[in-house]
Amino acid sequence: MVVTQPMRGSGTRGLLRHPLTLYVIFTILILLKLMLLHHNLHAYNITMGLLDKVIAIGSILLLSFWVWWLPRRGMIAALAVLHLLLTALIYADMVYYRYFQDFLTVPVLLQARQVDSLGESIATLIYARDVWFFADLLLVIPFAVIMLFSKRGRSGQNSGMYTSSYNGGYRDNSSATYASSASRKKRLHRRLLAGSITLVLGLSLGAGPIYYSGKTWAKGLFDNNWWNVSMYNVTGLLAFHGYDVYSYVKDNIGSGAEADPADVEQVQAYFADRQKSNASQHSQALFGKYKDSNVIIVQGEAFMNFMIGQSIGGQEITPHFNELMKESQYYSHFYHQTGQGRTSDADFGANISLHPLSAGSAFVRYPDHTYDSLPSILKDQGYSTNAFHAYESSFWNRYTMYQNMKYDKFYSKNDFVQDDPLGWSLSDVSFFRQSVEKMSSEVQEPFYSFLITLSSHHPYSLPKDKQQLDVGEFQGTMFGDYLQSVHYVDAALGGMVEDLKNRGLWEKTIFMFYGDHDNSIKDKPLYEQFLGRQLNDLDMAQIMNEVPLLVHLPDGAEAGTFEQPAGQLDITPSVLHLLGISDESYYHMGNNVYDGSERTVVLRNGSFTDGKVFYIPSDDYIYTSGACYDLSTHEATDINACKAGFVQATKRLHVSDTLITYDLIRQFREESH
């Protein structure tokens, strides 16, 4: 006879130990963390409604269905580990979003070694209130330990049942063995069934709605995603990461994916049209006027446009830049076009004239692909090409990428005397001084020198002895610290210009200075307080995306303020034009700012402007949810006014991504030979 007794500790305590109860608690806790993340995003036009919560639950089930196939203790351990890993991932996304307005991706994680260098910047993105995000771990971890290692936890492996077999008062070993074996098989079948049901339920709740959205209102998203936040709006966070892993494996494991022939044809057609439009550049006035001039381009860290010409407390914030504007070309609506790669993206756009990737940095993901970079083109024209950056050469994979870009030498941290340490490395004052010394003594003319500054890097902590600006009401705030650091870099820039003049280099050099990206300070009230006026969404979009571009020609010609839009991709085609080097045969997507034609500037997130309208996309990926602004009135207008530009902007981003991802420049060159 087989006698079955209920597990000791039945009732409330027994219910808490039941696998289904544990699994439900796990699902609820992770869902709450996803909801907390979404609450902290403040993403434009994105809500986390009932369907989004259903997708989130489905994603959790798909990530964890397999725990049902484990023995009871294995299930408890797996749920605890999954809980910790998902907590870490969701929180990492939340911190990353605070700075980049984007989510972590596999390419970004592969650049994780750079996080060691971000130190203080990351510390400023972690808030005291975040402790509540981890509060549940105070219960989850001890509970898991007790369940795993207590005597009752160990004895509860038999799914809450104790089995005894007797035969006339004496134990029948064969009957007991048979009963035990049958019980194990029964438990195994139950585990397999529970896991399978969970898998099917996860596919229905998670993958089903995502698939439907991809075929209806978000059609084309998975083929041409311009921004990860748009993907998140459809998939939720966990499914977004799942798709990201899938995409990375598809593109990088084995032979990798091949470009769609239709996409390749689109790329070829785009550049064929561009070549035709550039055919007349030889007859334009400035083409080749500064042939064989030196070229110096300075990329200013987080140097934004909104404070150019501004004062605080009667003191100019950028006095040296303002003075230099009088003898230079100043582009008052010049846009950074960066994505997740930030500083490396600005470098990529300016020197390669292609759009940065939607995820990760091209410097890290595709450093061995073929590009028509400015240094490689100038090297072929007999220039000495050199990059200067007083930081670790491996950061953003620069050492490898710069070799591919054909720089003769990369002067990195070890090539500079650390005579004035500041922030991440060396002060910009010392960096500029030592760089100009190297140009004067070590570099053969004509030369191309590309410099990247550091002193105005987030979180803008400038020592007291270097603070020369009275920021008044902003004292003690990060915004005030930012103004302080920009003022310092401006002084360093002024010193560099004087040094170039004293060494006789200024009069034979095309000199450019531009900002790389925004300062990651996005609080509208701060800018309203600083500028003394109310700001709408267009104002904020321009503030956060406009950086200054200053161009000084050797003879100081063409000085003035230019209001037509331009972007970082325009730098290489414009430099080549001034030097008399035809841009027709190169795979560049930027505009030549000297050809006099109208131009459109496309940002990585799908925004664009042609000088007449400015389109701000919605994070929900729906065109009509975005906003179209008439720049003559600075007010929102009919969304259809931006439709043609939107189609063109989307096409440009897709062409650039296809060209880079599938290394098509190399393919086209090989086919032509």
Side-chain angles (χ1 to χ4, degrees), residues 305 329-335 542 546-549 551 560-568 570 574 591-602 608-614 631 652:
N305 196 53
Q329 302 164 22
Y330 165 58
Y331 292 80
S332 58
H333 294 293
F334 182 79
Y335 293 86
Q542 290 184 309
E546 287 184 353
V547 293
L549 170 64
V551 182
T561 297
F562 298 82
E563 296 186 354
Q564 193 174 354
Q568 289 167 339
D570 302 340
S574 302
N591 308 289
N592 168 22
V593 299
Y594 300 110
D595 67 4
S597 61
E598 295 183 351
R599 52 183 176 265
T600 297
V601 178
V602 179
F608 74 87
T609 180
D610 58 5
K612 299 175 182 177
V613 297
F614 192 106
L631 291 178
R652 287 193 190 184

Side-chain angles (χ1 to χ4, degrees), residues 414-435:
N414 292 338
D415 297 297
F416 291 89
V417 178
Q418 300 294 310
D419 55 3
D420 187 20
L422 175 64
W424 281 40
S425 176
L426 184 66
S427 74
D428 282 354
V429 170
S430 178
F431 167 64
F432 283 146
R433 186 189 71 250
Q434 294 188 53
S435 296

Side-chain angles (χ1 to χ4, degrees), residues 282-293:
H282 301 269
S283 61
Q284 294 164 0
L286 290 181
F287 183 81
K289 182 178 180 180
Y290 302 98
K291 181 178 174 60
D292 296 330
S293 295

Side-chain angles (χ1 to χ4, degrees), residues 339-585:
Q340 287 185 334
R342 301 290 276 180
T343 297
S344 72
D345 279 357
D347 187 342
F348 184 83
N351 281 289
I352 292 178
S353 194
L354 295 174
H355 286 281
L357 300 169
S358 61
S361 164
F363 270 41
V364 175
R365 293 182 63 184
Y366 306 117
D368 59 338
H369 285 194
T370 298
Y371 305 104
D372 290 329
S373 70
L374 181 58
S376 68
I377 294 170
L378 295 185
K379 184 177 176 64
D380 289 341
Q381 298 292 322
Y383 275 68
S384 171
T385 57
N386 304 275
F388 301 80
H389 184 47
Y391 197 59
E392 305 293 347
S393 63
S394 62
F395 197 63
W396 284 121
N397 202 34
R398 283 192 178 97
Y399 182 77
T400 301
M401 187 67 179
Y402 282 175
Q403 286 184 316
N404 187 22
M405 293 169 69
K406 299 299 189 293
Y407 281 110
D408 289 324
K409 184 172 176 59
F410 174 24
Y411 292 91
S412 59
K413 185 175 183 177
N414 292 338
D415 297 297
F416 291 89
V417 178
Q418 300 294 310
D419 55 3
D420 187 20
L422 175 64
W424 281 40
S425 176
L426 184 66
S427 74
D428 282 354
V429 170
S430 178
F431 167 64
F432 283 146
R433 186 189 71 250
Q434 294 188 53
S435 296
V436 173
E437 286 176 357
K438 295 178 189 301
M439 289 180 221
S440 180
S441 61
E442 301 178 18
V443 176
Q444 181 179 351
E445 297 187 61
F447 61 74
Y448 169 51
S449 294
F450 179 67
L451 296 83
I452 303 174
T453 71
L454 267 175
S455 294
S456 51
H457 197 286
H458 187 279
Y460 320 114
S461 301
L462 201 65
K464 288 286 186 182
D465 62 339
K466 296 187 184 298
Q467 296 181 14
Q468 301 297 322
L469 184 69
D470 181 4
V471 298
E473 56 192 336
F474 298 106
Q475 186 67 39
T477 68
M478 184 177 287
F479 189 84
D481 293 342
Y482 171 71
L483 297 179
Q484 196 74 255
S485 67
V486 165
H487 185 72
Y488 174 80
V489 175
D490 175 78
L493 174 63
M496 179 190 188
V497 171
E498 286 303 308
D499 198 2
L500 289 169
K501 290 179 178 179
N502 293 336
R503 293 176 184 272
L505 293 173
W506 186 248
E507 292 79 13
K508 50 184 176 180
T509 297
I510 297 171
F511 181 86
M512 293 187 172
F513 180 95
Y514 70 93
D516 64 353
H517 53 68
D518 65 78
N519 58 13
S520 293
I521 302 173
K522 307 182 190 305
D523 299 329
K524 185 196 292 185
L526 289 173
Y527 295 98
E528 291 180 328
Q529 184 179 353
F530 174 75
L531 296 172
R533 60 186 175 90
Q534 288 189 327
L535 304 172
N536 62 13
D537 288 344
L538 173 60
D539 294 320
M540 283 304 298
Q542 290 184 309
I543 286 173
M544 298 310 297
N545 288 291
E546 287 184 353
V547 293
L549 170 64
L550 192 80
V551 182
H552 183 273
L553 301 179
D555 56 0
E558 307 294 326
T561 297
F562 298 82
E563 296 186 354
Q564 193 174 354
Q568 289 167 339
L569 272 64
D570 302 340
I571 289 177
T572 284
S574 302
V575 169
L576 294 179
H577 185 83
L578 294 172
L579 297 176
I581 302 171
S582 175
D583 191 42
E584 291 180 54
S585 62

Side-chain angles (χ1 to χ4, degrees), residues 103-407:
F103 300 108
L104 289 164
T105 60
V106 173
V108 169
L109 292 174
L110 292 177
Q111 298 154 204
R113 62 182 183 278
Q114 298 181 170
V115 174
D116 296 336
S117 305
L118 295 176
E120 190 176 355
S121 290
I122 292 178
T124 64
L125 302 172
I126 298 175
Y127 305 156
R129 67 173 184 267
D130 292 347
V131 68
W132 292 107
F133 191 84
F134 302 96
D136 63 315
L137 297 181
L138 296 176
L139 295 175
V140 170
I141 295 176
F143 183 75
V145 171
I146 292 172
M147 291 289 289
L148 286 171
F149 298 105
S150 69
K151 181 178 179 182
R152 182 170 295 171
R154 289 195 300 269
S155 64
Q157 294 185 66
N158 294 326
S159 299
M161 299 292 182
Y162 293 92
T163 306
S164 302
S165 298
Y166 296 93
N167 183 7
Y170 294 96
R171 184 176 183 88
D172 185 337
N173 290 332
S174 61
S175 298
T177 301
Y178 175 80
S180 176
S181 176
S183 179
R184 282 197 300 269
K185 288 181 179 179
K186 190 174 182 179
R187 292 196 300 271
L188 178 60
H189 289 158
R190 285 177 177 174
R191 294 203 302 267
L192 291 174
L193 180 61
S196 300
I197 291 174
T198 304
L199 173 59
V200 172
L201 194 58
L203 288 170
S204 301
L205 299 179
I210 293 172
Y211 179 81
Y212 176 78
S213 298
K215 293 296 182 181
T216 53
W217 64 270
K219 187 176 182 179
L221 174 66
F222 295 97
D223 299 320
N224 188 25
N225 176 41
W226 70 44
W227 203 242
N228 290 328
V229 179
S230 302
M231 182 73 74
Y232 162 81
N233 183 49
V234 176
T235 64
L237 186 74
L238 299 183
F240 163 79
H241 284 299
Y243 184 76
D244 175 58
V245 170
Y246 162 76
S247 298
Y248 181 81
V249 170
K250 182 184 69 174
D251 292 342
N252 294 275
I253 303 301
S255 59
E258 294 185 0
D260 188 316
D263 289 339
V264 175
E265 289 181 9
Q266 184 184 50
V267 171
Q268 291 173 317
Y270 176 89
F271 285 101
D273 290 342
R274 187 179 185 278
Q275 186 175 16
K276 292 177 183 177
S277 65
N278 286 341
S280 62
Q281 63 180 307
H282 301 269
S283 61
Q284 294 164 0
L286 290 181
F287 183 81
K289 182 178 180 180
Y290 302 98
K291 181 178 174 60
D292 296 330
S293 295
N294 299 320
V295 179
I296 298 176
I297 298 180
V298 179
Q299 179 173 291
E301 173 63 38
F303 210 94
M304 296 172 69
N305 196 53
F306 75 91
M307 74 276 179
I308 300 299
Q310 297 287 342
S311 298
I312 188 168
Q315 189 177 0
E316 288 182 280
I317 296 173
T318 57
H320 297 89
F321 189 100
N322 299 343
E323 185 65 26
L324 194 56
M325 283 170 56
K326 298 175 182 178
E327 57 182 90
S328 306
Q329 302 164 22
Y330 165 58
Y331 292 80
S332 58
H333 294 293
F334 182 79
Y335 293 86
H336 77 81
Q337 295 169 282
T338 65
Q340 287 185 334
R342 301 290 276 180
T343 297
S344 72
D345 279 357
D347 187 342
F348 184 83
N351 281 289
I352 292 178
S353 194
L354 295 174
H355 286 281
L357 300 169
S358 61
S361 164
F363 270 41
V364 175
R365 293 182 63 184
Y366 306 117
D368 59 338
H369 285 194
T370 298
Y371 305 104
D372 290 329
S373 70
L374 181 58
S376 68
I377 294 170
L378 295 185
K379 184 177 176 64
D380 289 341
Q381 298 292 322
Y383 275 68
S384 171
T385 57
N386 304 275
F388 301 80
H389 184 47
Y391 197 59
E392 305 293 347
S393 63
S394 62
F395 197 63
W396 284 121
N397 202 34
R398 283 192 178 97
Y399 182 77
T400 301
M401 187 67 179
Y402 282 175
Q403 286 184 316
N404 187 22
M405 293 169 69
K406 299 299 189 293
Y407 281 110

